[in-house]
Amino acid sequence: MQLSMRPFIIEKFRALTELPDERQTEWLLNAEGSISFLQANTLNDEIVIYARTKCVLIHGVLALTRKLTPAAVSELQHRNIPMPDDSWSIQQVWGGGKGHRMYLEAPLSNVHASLKGGEKLIFRRSFIGVSKGPTPVELSQKLVHSLDLHFVSERNAYCRLDSRGDIEDVIKIVHVTRGSASDSICIVSILRKDLDRFMALSKTSLVLRFDSTRVRWESFRGWSEIRRYERDDINLHYHGGTDGQGSYCNGVMVIHPSITVADLIREWKAEDDPSKRKYATFKIYDRKNNVNVETACAPQFLSNYFQHSDLPWEISPAFFRPEVLHRFKADPEKYTLEDRSISCRNAWYLKTYDINEEGQVHTYIGYLANLPYEEQLYWQSFNEWPKGPISRRAHQTDIIGDWYLEYEPLNALKQTISCLDAAPPSWWKARGAELKGAVRYPATDSGREWADELLALDQYLIEGFLLKPLRELAEGGGCTVDQKWGSLRVLQEALVARGQTDDAAKSIVAPMQQLHMLRTDVRGHAAIEKKRAAESAARTQFGSLRAHFRGIVADCEQALNAILKSLGVQLRS
C-alpha cells in the first residue's frame, strides 16, 4: 500500500519544525528525535531530498558510491557540503605569482574528496530586486532530463506521462508560506523508484546533510554549557547536544540505491517479453468462417490472409455499445479522438474504429491486441454481439481497400472551415485545431451528449462570425442594421447587401439560426420542458439524436458554402 505522500510529508515534517503547545520543553531538548523522520524517509515511496525551515535543513547531493567509505562518511558529518545557493560559476583569480586566471567551477569542486565527481541536485538562486515570493527551486538538469521530466507550474512539480497517459508527479516542490520568510517551509521530494534508477545508472548514492536546531528563537542568544554526544552507524553519522534550554542534531545519512543496473535490465526484458503479455477475450464476427465466436485477441489465436488456418482473421470486427467512446470524449487533454482513430497520450493507439448503421462502435480484434491489457478490459466491458455489419465506410476503406467518396457532412464542414482559417476574411475569426477537434457526432442517443455536441458545433461555426466587420459589410451595401442584432442576423443583411433577396438571405442563414437556437434551448438556462421538447422533436423527425445532429451539420455545411459564394470568398484547397 502506497502512502498518500504529500499530506504525509507536510504533517510529519511540521512536527520537526513547529514548537508544540504542550510538552514544549521535551520538544526543545529532543532535536535527536528528528532522526526517526529521516529513517522513515528512507523507506517511503517518495523521499525528501531537500527541506528547509527555521529549525530544520535537509539537503541531499549525490556522491560516487565507491567513495563513500565508512570513514569518509563519518568525516563528512563535520564538513560542510555545498548549500542550495552554491552553483556553477566563473571564477576570476589573481595573485600567488600566477597572474590573472579565469575558469569554470562546478558546485562540488571545493568539497570533501568523497563528494567530488558527484551531482548537486538542488539549486536556489535569487534574482535580487526582481524575484518575488519564495526563492525558486531549480533541479539538476541531468536528473530532470534523464528521467524525462517536465515542470508543470500548476502542479509545482516535475512530471511525466505514465503508462496510462496520466500526468505523474515525480519531483514535487512544496512551499508553505507562514508569518515570515524564516518561518516558511520548502520541501522537495522525489519518487524513490526514479531516484534509485538514476543512482544505479550513475553509480551514485544520496548523501543527506541534515541539521535540526530547536530553540526559542525570539530569546536565543547562543549556547551555554552543552552536553554533547556523537552517534556512528553504518550509513548514519551525526552529533549533537543540549544545554537544558534547547538542542541541536547535525550529521549525514547515506542512502544507497535499492536496485542495480542488472535489475533494471531484467525489468526491461520482462516488459518486452511477449510471453508475459496478457490478452482479453472478445465477442467477434469471424469473417473467415462467417460465424460469431468468442476468442482471445492474442496473436496465437488469430490469423491473416497469408496463413492457412481455421483461426479468425485479425481483421475480424468486434462490436461495442456506443458508450465506450464517452471516456475518450470526456477528456480531450488525455485522449485524441479522431474521426477514425483514438490515441491516449504516451500510452496507446487504436488504428481504426467506426460506428455502423445500428449505432455500434466497431474495430478489429487484431488492433485490440495492441492495446494495454487494462485498456482491453475496458473495451471488453462494452463488447456485444453484432447487430448488423460494419459501416459502409469501414467496408470500403478497410476491406475493399478503396477510397470512400460518399458525402460526409461533418468532415466536409471541417474542411471548409480549415480553408477559411488558412486565409480568413475580415469577418471570420479562425477557429483552430482545438475547437475543430471538439466537434464530433454523438455516439449515443443521450440527450446530454447531443447537447454537448450542439454546443461544440455552435462554438466552432457560429462564433466564428465577427459582428463588427459584418455590420460594416452590410451598412456599406446600403442596409440598415439594428445595434441590438447578433452576428447571424447581421450576416443575413450582409447577404442582402451582396445581392440576395430578403427571403433568400433568410433561407440561407436559417440552419445556423436553428443551431444557435437549439444550443440556447438545450445548453442554456431554458426550462426542462423546453429541453425535453427539443429532444423529442429531434428524435421524432430523424429517428435518433445522432441522425438529427448529422442532418443539422449537413444543413449548416451547405449554408456556409452558400454564404461564401454570396460574399465572394474563394477557398484554396
Side-chain angles (χ1 to χ4, degrees):
M1 176 180 176
Q2 292 196 351
L3 299 174
S4 180
M5 293 304 175
R6 182 164 294 190
F8 172 80
I9 291 172
I10 294 296
E11 298 307 318
K12 293 292 184 181
F13 190 78
R14 277 178 170 161
L16 305 182
T17 189
E18 295 180 356
L19 190 66
D21 293 333
E22 299 177 357
R23 303 165 63 187
Q24 294 184 4
T25 300
E26 179 184 345
W27 183 86
L28 285 167
L29 301 181
N30 189 33
E32 191 176 7
S34 61
I35 297 299
S36 61
F37 172 86
L38 293 167
Q39 291 172 325
N41 183 49
T42 67
L43 303 175
N44 291 333
D45 297 321
E46 186 177 36
I47 183 170
V48 174
I49 58 174
Y50 174 79
R52 183 155 196 163
T53 69
K54 183 165 57 178
C55 297
V56 176
L57 171 65
I58 300 172
H59 182 209
V61 299
L62 296 182
L64 293 172
T65 302
R66 61 182 173 81
K67 293 186 175 185
L68 295 174
T69 63
V73 176
S74 180
E75 189 177 343
L76 267 177
Q77 67 172 307
H78 300 290
R79 299 293 188 91
N80 290 327
I81 67 172
M83 288 293 98
D85 56 354
D86 293 325
S87 185
W88 290 87
S89 61
I90 297 175
Q91 292 290 8
Q92 298 173 309
V93 182
W94 65 276
K98 296 183 180 181
H100 289 71
R101 303 182 305 281
M102 292 182 66
Y103 57 90
L104 187 66
E105 185 175 75
L108 294 182
S109 294
N110 298 314
V111 293
H112 190 266
S114 62
L115 298 183
K116 289 184 178 181
E119 183 80 15
K120 191 166 182 289
L121 300 178
I122 307 295
F123 300 85
R124 301 195 73 182
R125 303 181 301 149
S126 294
F127 198 179
I128 299 174
V130 177
S131 298
K132 307 293 183 184
T135 303
V137 174
E138 301 174 44
L139 272 293
S140 159
Q141 293 298 288
K142 185 176 178 180
L143 175 72
V144 167
H145 288 194
S146 62
L147 295 178
D148 193 25
L149 306 181
H150 302 267
F151 187 70
V152 180
S153 57
E154 59 266 30
R155 302 170 80 99
N156 209 27
Y158 286 84
C159 308
R160 66 158 167 256
L161 297 176
D162 66 14
S163 60
R164 296 181 177 89
D166 294 321
I167 297 176
E168 180 181 30
D169 296 342
V170 177
I171 301 177
K172 298 177 185 176
I173 302 171
V174 180
H175 290 288
V176 179
T177 303
R178 297 194 288 189
S180 63
S182 62
D183 286 331
S184 298
I185 297 174
C186 178
I187 300 174
V188 180
S189 65
I190 182 172
L191 294 181
R192 178 64 189 269
K193 62 183 178 66
D194 288 282
L195 179 63
D196 280 346
R197 190 176 180 214
F198 185 86
M199 291 193 296
L201 293 169
S202 60
K203 300 179 181 179
T204 59
S205 295
L206 180 67
V207 177
L208 282 181
R209 188 74 163 86
F210 59 87
D211 180 272
S212 176
T213 303
R214 298 183 180 182
V215 296
R216 298 182 187 275
W217 291 102
E218 65 278 3
S219 59
F220 182 66
R221 296 295 180 268
W223 301 103
S224 56
E225 294 186 13
I226 301 177
R227 296 187 297 276
R228 303 179 188 277
Y229 60 86
E230 188 161 331
R231 318 283 192 223
D232 285 300
D233 203 344
I234 296 176
N235 292 312
L236 177 62
H237 302 263
Y238 64 94
H239 57 276
T242 175
D243 65 355
Q245 298 180 22
S247 60
Y248 72 90
C249 178
N250 186 293
V252 293
M253 172 182 279
V254 176
I255 302 172
H256 296 292
S258 61
I259 55 174
T260 66
V261 175
D263 294 330
L264 294 173
I265 292 174
R266 278 193 293 271
E267 289 177 8
W268 172 32
K269 291 171 68 176
E271 289 172 359
D272 287 347
D273 186 350
S275 67
K276 295 185 177 181
R277 283 207 63 186
K278 298 172 69 176
Y279 296 91
T281 297
F282 293 93
K283 303 178 180 74
I284 68 167
Y285 172 65
D286 178 357
R287 290 185 53 248
K288 177 186 288 186
N289 302 299
N290 296 319
V291 64
N292 291 333
V293 297
E294 284 192 73
T295 182
C297 61
Q300 62 265 34
F301 295 104
L302 305 174
S303 66
N304 56 46
Y305 292 136
F306 307 103
Q307 294 175 324
H308 297 289
S309 166
D310 291 332
L311 294 174
W313 282 326
E314 296 169 329
I315 202 167
S316 295
F319 296 79
F320 307 89
R321 301 195 308 276
E323 291 81 8
V324 71
L325 299 180
H326 278 179
R327 185 175 70 167
F328 313 124
K329 298 180 77 170
D331 192 353
E333 290 187 359
K334 180 177 178 179
Y335 301 103
T336 300
L337 184 63
E338 303 286 357
D339 185 42
R340 293 293 306 277
S341 66
I342 308 172
S343 60
C344 176
R345 59 188 178 192
N346 195 51
W348 54 263
Y349 174 69
L350 184 65
K351 186 175 181 180
T352 187
Y353 79 98
D354 211 342
I355 300 177
N356 65 9
E357 295 298 320
E358 288 71 25
Q360 290 179 296
V361 174
H362 57 81
T363 186
Y364 304 108
I365 190 165
Y367 295 147
L368 291 168
N370 296 328
L371 301 180
Y373 182 64
E374 185 179 64
E375 187 63 30
Q376 291 177 28
L377 294 179
Y378 171 77
W379 284 80
Q380 184 192 62
S381 67
F382 295 90
N383 187 211
E384 61 184 4
W385 294 115
K387 299 176 181 177
I390 61 176
S391 69
R392 294 194 303 272
R393 176 171 63 173
H395 185 267
Q396 184 75 12
T397 59
D398 303 341
I399 307 303
I400 297 177
D402 200 358
W403 297 103
Y404 183 70
L405 302 177
E406 187 174 323
Y407 172 68
E408 207 296 297
L410 186 54
N411 284 344
L413 178 65
K414 289 184 175 183
Q415 178 62 30
T416 300
I417 292 178
S418 293
C419 292
L420 262 181
D421 285 358
S426 62
W427 45 264
W428 180 257
K429 181 179 180 180
R431 312 315 291 140
E434 186 173 347
L435 285 172
K436 177 182 178 181
V439 184
R440 307 179 189 90
Y441 289 115
T444 68
D445 203 47
S446 159
R448 177 58 185 269
E449 185 186 8
W450 174 66
D452 288 344
E453 295 300 351
L454 287 172
L455 172 62
L457 178 61
D458 185 88
Q459 292 172 332
Y460 181 50
L461 174 60
I462 308 304
E463 293 183 11
F465 292 102
L466 296 172
L467 179 59
K468 185 177 179 181
L470 286 172
R471 181 183 291 117
E472 292 173 352
L473 192 63
E475 291 176 341
C479 294
T480 302
V481 176
D482 192 314
Q483 295 298 311
K484 297 180 181 179
W485 285 351
S487 60
L488 291 181
R489 182 64 182 86
V490 176
L491 172 61
Q492 183 178 319
E493 292 303 311
L495 295 176
V496 172
R498 285 302 183 95
Q500 295 285 350
T501 65
D502 288 341
D503 288 343
K506 186 175 182 180
S507 177
I508 290 172
V509 179
M512 297 185 184
Q513 294 278 18
Q514 182 188 11
L515 168 63
H516 195 58
M517 180 186 67
L518 266 175
R519 174 249 173 105
T520 302
D521 286 350
V522 300
R523 278 302 305 251
H525 299 287
I528 295 296
E529 292 77 10
K530 200 169 188 179
K531 295 178 182 180
R532 289 175 177 169
E535 286 183 27
S536 177
R539 287 194 180 98
T540 300
Q541 184 178 1
F542 289 89
S544 71
L545 298 180
R546 177 179 169 83
H548 169 269
F549 186 84
R550 179 185 173 90
I552 202 167
V553 169
D555 290 344
C556 287
E557 192 270 332
Q558 294 171 17
L560 180 58
N561 283 311
I563 289 167
L564 297 178
K565 183 178 180 180
S566 295
L567 297 182
V569 176
Q570 297 291 328
L571 298 179
R572 296 179 182 178
S573 58

